[in-house]
Structure formats: structure tokens, C-alpha cells
Amino acid sequence: MPYHRILVVGAGLAGLRAAIEAAGEDVAVLTRVHPVRSHSVAAQGGVNAPLANVPEGKEDSPERHAFDTVKGADYLADQDAAELMTRLAPERIYEIENWGCPFSRTPEGKIAQRPFGGAGFPRTCYAADRTGHAMLHTLYEQVVKRGIRVYEEWLMLDLIVSGGRCRGVVAMDMVSGRVEAFGAEAVVMATGGAGRIYARSTNSHINTGSAAAFCYMRGVPLKDMEFVQFHPTSLYPNNVLISEAARGEGGYLLNRDGERFMARYAPKAMELGPRDIVARSIQTEIDEGRGFENAYVHLDLRHLGAEKIKERLPAIREIAMYFAGVDPIEKPIPIQPAQHYTMGGLDVDKDGASELPGLFAAGECACVSVHGANRLGGNSLLETVVFGQLAGAAAVRYVRGLEKTGPDGSALDTAVGEVEARIGELISRQDGERTAVIREEMKQVMFEKVGIFREEGPMREAVEKIRELKERVKRARVDARGRRYNLELISALELPAMLELAEVIALGALTRPESRGSHFRRDYPQRDDANWLKHTVARWTPDGPRLEYKPVVITKWQPEARKY
């Protein structure tokens, strides 16, 4: 039975940075994929830091970065957390540069920076349009250098809680199907977002949110889950991400009449408005008949020229050519909005600590909260390395403060038995509907009724539908009954947890009668600071989520109307 004093679950940027910080302790990483296949690798455009490396950004500062973050978040971000993130940003970026991250350069040899949406200055550091790829490989090299144990292709299936604190996780070896308990004094969750709850998502298929949901079902509250980001530019029709870097480098959004329609919605910022506004603008153009085939608009890069596209946006060009048959040097790219990011997550403080002793979280599965109701492009990669480091350091302090340590054998055995019982029941069931049918219905109802535009009636229908699916999944079956690399079984084991998250998202959105950031209600189109400037906290109960609220931390910026 494996045991480590600190176990990091997830090997994306947040998880690897936490593990590096804890390297002086007995730490290991458990991940469902090889580390460099984690979803961080898909981040393209860049990582924000107020380095003031380019002439247009020479007046930039951590405070201005924090203000842009808070404004972009529609004032739902905790301002002390946003200030902490932007203050630590330069340190984390120069650290990973010193570890060998191949950032693009200015002519003077400094880290290059480009404009991104909602930012007052060009502050997004980048490695062409493969920034996540470059950062992830750099951190993995540091993990290898430090000899940190990595358990690859292990899927977390439950959180172990005993004596009022976290004692490890239960996971399945995907290769053999064997189930094991991993004992630990502290667990750092870094398992990414939950995009695959939705149809039409830019997320990897591994982004199911199930690991965070297992924590929720063991008593760890979720925060602000109704705030779901829809990225403005995903490739039509398969929704591969087309980075904001394409607009940062000067790309135009055009409707079927050839108009740069952002002049109607964000006349000053145009294509570099924040993502929530740009995504709604694109969808409005499509809905009002100014799109192509009632499905997409154009992202036009042709005026940038072949040399700039090849140098700054090589991956975007490859994606457009391979997946849409379009060379952006010659033709505009067909794009449409798609689910992209989960602003909410496990409720944690600035050190990544949850209210359950021994459980920490960082990255997209966590909600600190620095993104509030709408995340700015370039802040997600920054969040991973800033709060990954802080969570790793906090986990070390926690385990060193414990008086008694060692595996809790009884709790671990019980937890394994419960997971084995779930698997046995699924494999032995001879009738019932296929879980894939239920999963598809969940994704469709979430996209259609809890999507970019929301209203009470459809959202109420979505909540009822999700509750119906929760009942149906209890009687569902799998056809593949073996254990080795049984992806149908894995999907079936995750689905009940995904439905728990879907219910929290839909109910939180239904219960919030205002529009704020990514949460836009046609029936309540205005922000309501008097009643709803507060975080939603969801607690698991057998009868469904119990919602509570807690105040937003305001330090220096009082909410005001967002204009771009």
C-alpha cells in the first residue's frame, strides 16, 4: 500500500510546481496521464506578469495588473488574492526562465510580451503560441531532476477522510485495473477544470472534474461554480482552441458582411475586450443572422502577413490547416465560442488550504478566488505557478506540524472496499442503459440551458434534467467488463461525480438573479452589487447541493461599471 507524507494529484503546471516546492519532504505525484500530456500543455498564448519589458508596457506594475484582474473578474475576485498573485508574478516567471523555459525574446533579449484581452498593457509573456507546452516541459524536467516519484496512469476515484482530516486517496491503475489506497498526511489537488461536463468544449477529454467532485462528496465545499468561461475563438466545427494570441497579435473578428463587429460591443478595446464580452458578442452576431451557416464568424489574420504568422502563431496555423483545412495566411479561420475554463472550484484560501485539514488545492480545480466571474487570458498559467508554489509550501508546513503520522490502515482498507464495491456493481449489472447516453444528455443540456446566455425557465429545466440523470446513472451498465485500460468503465466511474458538479453549476446559476462576468442572464441583464456581490459556496448533501454565501474581499477598488 503506497504511502507518502505529501501526495500531489495531477501533473499539470500547478501540480508539478507544488511537488517541486515540497521536494524536501517525502512527496509523490499521482496522475492519469504522463505529465507532459496534462492539459496545461494546451495553453497557447502566454502567461501574465508585469515585467514592463516592452515600450508600450513600461508603466506596468503589479498594482495595475491586479486592477485589470479585478475589473476583468467583474469585481467578484478577492482583491487581496489578486494582489498577491500579481505581486509574486515576476518572481515566478523569472524562476521558470532560469530553469530553462524558452520564452520568446525582445530584440534586447528580454522576455517578450504581447497584448491580451482586458489588459491595460502588453504583459503576456509567451513562447510563440506554445507557452503551456514550454512551461510544462520545463517544470517536468525539474521534477525529474529532484527524483520525485510520479505514478502515471492512475485515476483518483475517492478521497480518504478519517478523524476529521484528509488521509489520502483511492486510485485505479488504468493499465491493470488494480485499485489501491495511497496513504498521505497531506493531499494537494491539482486536477484541472471540468470542461467536459459541457458539449462544445476546448478542454481535453481528461478534464472531467471528477477528482474535485469526489472531494466535494467527502465534505469539501465548492465555490462560484456557476461562473463558466466560454472562450470566444474555438475552431469550427471541432472546438480546438484558437489562442487569444491571434487577436493579441492584431487579428480581426469579421461577420458575414465583413464588419469588425466588436465596434458595436467594445468600441475602445475591440477584439481585445475581455473574454466574456467578446464571446457574447460573437454569439449575438451568429444568433442575429450575421454569422456563417448560423454557426460561426471569421477570425482574419491575413493582414498580419506570412512572416509574422509563421514566427508568432505557428501552432495556430498548424491547427487551422490540419483541423479545418484553412491556411490563415490565405483565408480567415472559422471560429465560434466554446466552453473553456472553470472559474469556480474547491474553496481554498491563499495558501491553497481547504477547510478539511490536510487537503490543499491549486490551479483550475481550486477557487482562491482570483478570477471571480471572468478570468483574463494569461492569468490561468500565472495562477498555476503562483498558487502551486504556495500550496506546496503550505503542505510542507502542515505535515511538519503533525505530532503523529503514518498510514491509517483501517480507513484506507475501508475506502478501497467502497470503491471496489462500486466497480463490482457496475461490471456485474446485466441490464440498464449505457452510461455514454447519459453523459451525452448531460453535456447537451448544460451547453443549451446553462451556457453563454441564461434564463430562469431553461435553467430550471436543466436542474430537473440533471436530477433525472443522477437517478438514471444508478441503474446504468457498461458493456466492457474487463479491467485493463477499460475506458468505458473509467467513464462510468466518473459520470456520477460529473453530474454532481453539473447540478452545482446549474443550481448556482439559477439561484443568482443577476448578470456578472461569464454569468449572463437575459432575464436579469444587470449586475446587482447590493444583493449579489458575494461568493456562492456549495456543500454536498444526499438531497443535492446546499448553497451558502460569503463576502468578497475588497481592499482598494470599489465596484464600478466595466467599460472597454
Side-chain angles (χ1 to χ4, degrees):
M1 186 175 293
Y3 169 81
H4 298 276
R5 282 167 64 83
I6 299 173
L7 182 67
V8 178
V9 183
L13 287 170
L16 295 186
R17 187 60 191 83
I20 291 167
E21 194 65 19
E25 274 290 343
D26 171 21
V27 59
V29 177
L30 183 144
T31 169
R32 66 185 298 174
V33 294
H34 186 279
V36 297
R37 294 188 65 82
S38 301
H39 190 54
S40 299
V41 81
Q44 299 168 351
V47 53
N48 290 340
L51 305 183
N53 279 354
V54 296
E56 302 90 334
K58 64 181 181 181
E59 303 296 329
D60 201 4
S61 68
E63 182 168 334
R64 293 183 177 194
H65 184 183
F67 171 71
D68 287 342
T69 299
V70 169
K71 179 183 175 183
D74 220 348
Y75 294 91
L76 194 72
D78 285 339
Q79 296 183 10
D80 58 341
E83 290 179 276
L84 175 65
M85 180 178 74
T86 59
R87 188 169 65 249
L88 293 177
E91 182 180 340
R92 292 283 78 80
I93 296 305
Y94 287 130
E95 174 184 74
I96 198 167
E97 180 201 33
N98 291 336
W99 284 341
C101 186
F103 286 113
S104 297
R105 298 285 161 175
T106 68
E108 300 79 23
K110 299 177 180 177
I111 296 173
Q113 295 184 280
R114 60 170 41 128
F116 251 43
F121 300 94
R123 67 165 67 98
T124 305
C125 311
Y126 60 94
D129 54 357
R130 298 184 176 100
T131 312
H133 182 277
M135 292 176 66
L136 189 62
H137 279 252
T138 302
L139 289 194
Y140 182 54
E141 288 171 358
Q142 295 300 313
V143 166
V144 173
K145 176 182 176 182
R146 287 162 174 76
I148 296 171
R149 175 77 182 269
V150 178
Y151 296 91
E152 295 180 15
E153 298 190 322
W154 282 83
L155 177 72
M156 176 178 159
L157 290 175
D158 209 347
L159 184 74
I160 302 172
V161 180
S162 177
R165 66 185 178 99
C166 176
R167 302 305 306 271
V169 306
V170 180
M172 183 170 74
D173 175 18
M174 295 166 63
V175 177
S176 67
R178 187 177 83 255
V179 173
E180 286 267 20
F182 286 73
E185 308 302 335
V187 171
V188 180
M189 298 294 298
T191 50
R196 284 290 160 177
I197 287 173
Y198 278 82
R200 198 196 289 183
S201 173
T202 65
N203 281 197
S204 162
H205 288 277
I206 63 175
N207 289 91
T208 64
S210 63
F214 290 129
C215 298
Y216 164 66
M217 294 161 74
R218 290 294 181 185
V220 182
L222 295 165
K223 185 167 66 184
D224 291 342
M225 289 296 290
E226 65 266 37
F227 296 100
V228 177
Q229 182 166 85
F230 291 82
H231 196 286
T233 56
S234 78
L235 189 66
Y236 174 80
N238 46 35
N239 303 121
V240 178
L241 177 65
I242 299 296
S243 168
E244 191 165 324
R247 285 174 285 131
E249 295 294 346
Y252 297 154
L253 290 170
L254 304 175
N255 62 19
R256 62 182 297 172
D257 299 322
E259 290 180 297
R260 286 182 69 189
F261 56 83
M262 284 308 301
R264 272 194 285 282
Y265 308 97
K268 190 174 176 183
M270 294 295 285
E271 284 84 357
L272 288 180
R275 289 177 175 175
D276 58 331
I277 293 174
V278 180
R280 283 196 294 274
S281 304
I282 293 171
Q283 194 60 50
T284 298
E285 292 295 304
I286 295 169
D287 292 346
E288 294 183 355
R290 294 186 291 276
F292 298 87
E293 303 177 32
N294 295 320
Y296 63 89
V297 297
H298 278 158
L299 174 62
D300 195 350
L301 307 181
R302 291 175 293 179
H303 56 285
L304 302 181
E307 184 178 351
K308 189 171 186 178
I309 291 173
K310 289 178 180 178
E311 178 193 345
R312 303 278 184 89
L313 304 168
I316 295 301
R317 183 173 180 236
E318 285 181 9
I319 289 169
M321 292 171 70
Y322 293 155
F323 294 102
V326 170
D327 184 346
I329 292 174
E330 300 173 353
K331 294 180 180 178
I333 305 171
I335 58 92
Q336 63 180 185
Q339 190 284 341
H340 180 62
Y341 191 84
T342 309
M343 262 78 74
L346 295 167
D347 184 12
V348 296
D349 66 15
K350 295 192 289 295
D351 285 328
S354 74
E355 67 178 38
L356 177 66
L359 184 74
F360 301 81
E364 193 174 347
C365 72
C367 182
V368 174
S369 129
V370 291
H371 306 308
N374 174 65
R375 176 178 68 78
L376 292 186
N379 271 353
S380 62
L381 293 188
L382 177 60
E383 180 198 16
T384 63
V385 291
V386 167
F387 292 103
Q389 185 267 329
L390 291 172
V396 170
R397 291 195 300 272
Y398 172 79
V399 300
R400 289 179 180 174
L402 293 172
E403 293 183 358
K404 184 180 179 182
T405 61
D408 184 339
S410 175
L412 302 187
D413 289 343
T414 299
V416 169
E418 291 175 358
V419 171
E420 286 285 10
R422 281 160 47 197
I423 295 173
E425 187 177 358
L426 258 175
I427 290 178
S428 63
R429 193 175 293 142
Q430 296 298 318
D431 52 11
E433 62 184 317
R434 296 187 66 204
T435 54
V437 174
I438 298 172
R439 189 183 180 115
E440 192 58 30
E441 288 186 32
M442 171 192 67
K443 292 165 64 174
Q444 290 298 332
V445 75
M446 291 301 290
F447 188 82
E448 292 170 4
K449 299 189 177 183
V450 199
I452 299 174
F453 295 107
R454 300 169 172 181
E455 288 185 79
E456 179 177 347
M459 285 194 292
R460 196 172 295 283
E461 292 170 4
V463 171
E464 292 172 1
K465 182 68 175 179
I466 295 299
R467 288 174 176 167
E468 173 203 315
L469 297 178
K470 286 176 67 177
E471 291 301 314
R472 284 166 53 189
V473 80
K474 294 175 183 175
R475 303 185 295 276
R477 65 177 167 82
V478 294
D479 289 335
R481 301 178 190 280
R483 288 246 185 158
R484 288 181 175 275
Y485 269 124
N486 187 340
L487 299 184
E488 185 187 15
L489 175 61
I490 288 170
S491 177
L493 289 168
E494 290 189 286
L495 184 55
M498 296 171 73
L499 286 164
E500 293 286 344
L501 294 189
E503 186 179 18
V504 173
I505 294 169
L507 189 63
L510 175 64
T511 312
R512 182 178 279 271
E514 66 157 354
S515 290
R516 184 183 298 273
S518 63
H519 172 65
F520 189 88
R521 289 188 57 156
R522 294 187 191 276
D523 46 357
Y524 294 94
Q526 302 302 319
R527 199 176 73 197
D528 180 359
D529 290 330
N531 296 297
W532 289 96
L533 183 59
K534 54 190 178 185
H535 298 295
T536 304
V537 176
R539 294 183 183 277
W540 186 88
T541 81
D543 301 320
R546 186 178 76 241
L547 301 185
E548 304 169 354
Y549 298 93
K550 65 182 191 181
V552 173
V553 176
I554 305 287
T555 57
K556 60 180 69 168
W557 298 293
Q558 292 302 315
E560 57 186 31
R562 288 196 307 160
K563 296 179 181 177
Y564 290 95

